[in-house]
Amino acid sequence: GPISGVNKDIAVLQCHGDCDPLVPLMFGSLTVEKLKSMINPANVTFKTYSGMMHSSSIEEMMDVKQFIDKHLPPVD
């Protein structure tokens, strides 16, 4: 359904490996463009990781940590 109110300003981080054989990078690119049409495109970040397959990497996990630290309040 339509996204409205505060949800239009939600921050999104989408990560994708450029060698993913299960979900091709093209589908990640199409998904991020669809997201940008639904919410504030300035709040959508798409990161690709060279040589990464359908997995994760330390670089990706560091980017996720930075995103969480920036957008979520600290936990006591």
Side-chain angles (χ1 to χ4, degrees), residues 15-28:
C15 302
H16 207 104
D18 67 355
C19 292
D20 189 334
L22 191 60
V23 182
L25 182 58
M26 176 186 70
F27 293 138

Side-chain angles (χ1 to χ4, degrees), residues 32-71:
V32 80
E33 291 309 313
K34 181 64 175 176
L35 277 170
K36 286 179 177 182
S37 74
M38 298 170 68
I39 63 176
N40 182 347
N43 293 342
V44 179
T45 302
F46 183 60
K47 291 192 159 261
T48 59
Y49 301 89
S50 179
M52 193 170 83
M53 298 181 75
H54 194 74
S55 60
S56 63
S57 68
I58 291 175
E59 181 184 5
E60 179 189 25
M61 292 299 102
M62 293 305 298
D63 288 339
V64 170
K65 181 187 181 313
Q66 287 176 347
F67 179 84
I68 290 170
D69 288 345
K70 180 178 178 182
H71 295 286

